[in-house]
Amino acid sequence: MEFNNLEYEVYRRNVKYPRLELKTGNLILVLPPGYSEKEILKKHEKWIRKKLQFVNECLCQAENKKIEHRSMEEFEKIVLHLVEINQDFLKVKCNKILFRKMKSKWGSLSQNGNITINKVAKYLPTYLIDYIIYHELAHAIEKHHNKRFKSIIMKKFKNFKELEKELFIYWFAINNETKKSRRR
């Protein structure tokens, strides 16, 4: 793979192992000091090609996605309702529900049991908001994305891989839409 034309960002941190990220469609290399960029790019060439192909597919599909236009008030009501339903289903309890704009996540669950939902999720169809909330509440049972976590997810969302892909597609669709509206 020719890396001269490949755009990527490099962050040098005091980490033990290098890692590659493509969470938002941009390739990011997180490297320990002194670690060669070319070395990690060459070592993970196959993975990078596969992921970039996936990103390009998602970018194309994002052009056809219809995003929801709802107020924050409407969105918060939907989230509160879905949190109640999913807490009952999973037999867990969340402490607080917080809303903020997040750079690369749809949601998170803190150690204190607080759920944070990305404000831009208000543009998603309700079934994807439901999935995000269920996913975060499932972390109250299992913190890691391991087999146990996947089995919890599959109790309600057997098609979770499709939903994860759809969330990735919507990430681009929403970002494209918000960029357009800022230009107006």
Side-chain angles (χ1 to χ4, degrees):
M1 178 177 202
E2 183 59 51
F3 295 110
N4 297 338
N5 299 337
L6 180 65
E7 288 185 35
Y8 57 90
E9 293 178 58
V10 177
Y11 295 97
R12 300 230 178 245
R13 296 191 187 136
N14 286 329
V15 292
K16 193 171 184 179
Y17 301 105
R19 71 176 185 268
L20 301 168
E21 297 177 358
L22 259 167
K23 292 178 187 172
T24 58
N26 301 318
L27 180 60
I28 295 171
L29 311 179
V30 180
L31 304 176
Y35 199 94
S36 165
E37 293 170 32
K38 288 184 175 147
E39 186 179 331
I40 194 166
L41 290 170
K42 188 174 184 198
K43 182 178 179 181
H44 297 286
E45 177 182 347
K46 195 173 179 181
W47 181 88
I48 294 168
R49 281 183 191 271
K50 185 178 173 186
K51 286 293 181 182
L52 288 175
Q53 183 178 348
F54 175 75
V55 167
N56 288 330
E57 278 176 33
C58 291
L59 280 166
C60 290
Q61 292 176 30
E63 293 173 16
N64 303 321
K65 286 291 181 189
K66 180 187 174 293
I67 65 170
E68 298 290 330
H69 292 280
R70 56 172 72 95
S71 69
M72 267 314 282
E73 188 178 327
E74 291 172 301
F75 176 56
E76 288 175 12
K77 282 181 184 176
I78 291 167
V79 169
L80 291 172
H81 176 69
L82 293 171
V83 165
E84 282 180 33
I85 290 168
N86 287 306
Q87 284 181 132
D88 290 345
F89 186 87
L90 288 166
K91 296 179 181 27
V92 297
K93 198 84 174 129
C94 86
N95 186 26
K96 287 186 211 168
I97 304 165
L98 307 163
F99 298 89
R100 71 179 182 92
K101 191 163 184 187
M102 302 168 89
K103 288 182 182 178
S104 63
K105 295 179 180 183
W106 289 110
S108 65
L109 180 74
S110 75
Q111 288 181 328
N112 299 331
N114 298 331
I115 289 185
T116 302
I117 301 294
N118 192 333
K119 284 183 174 183
V120 299
K122 76 178 191 171
Y123 298 109
L124 292 172
T126 305
Y127 70 93
L128 287 175
I129 298 169
D130 186 29
Y131 173 71
I132 291 166
I133 292 165
Y134 184 87
H135 178 111
E136 296 312 328
L137 286 171
H139 281 301
I141 300 168
E142 177 56 56
K143 290 180 184 0
H144 304 287
H145 291 127
N146 55 22
K147 281 183 182 179
R148 181 173 179 230
F149 181 81
K150 287 177 183 166
S151 73
I152 295 165
I153 293 296
M154 288 182 70
K155 285 179 184 173
K156 185 172 178 181
F157 296 99
K158 300 224 182 302
N159 65 336
F160 77 94
K161 288 183 181 179
E162 293 165 32
L163 296 174
E164 290 286 342
K165 182 177 180 181
E166 209 168 339
L167 283 169
F168 201 68
I169 293 166
Y170 267 103
W171 187 269
F172 295 124
I174 292 166
N175 283 320
N176 289 342
E177 183 73 20
T178 54
K179 282 177 190 173
K180 285 180 199 172
S181 62
R182 278 186 284 205
R183 280 188 235 139
R184 291 179 198 146

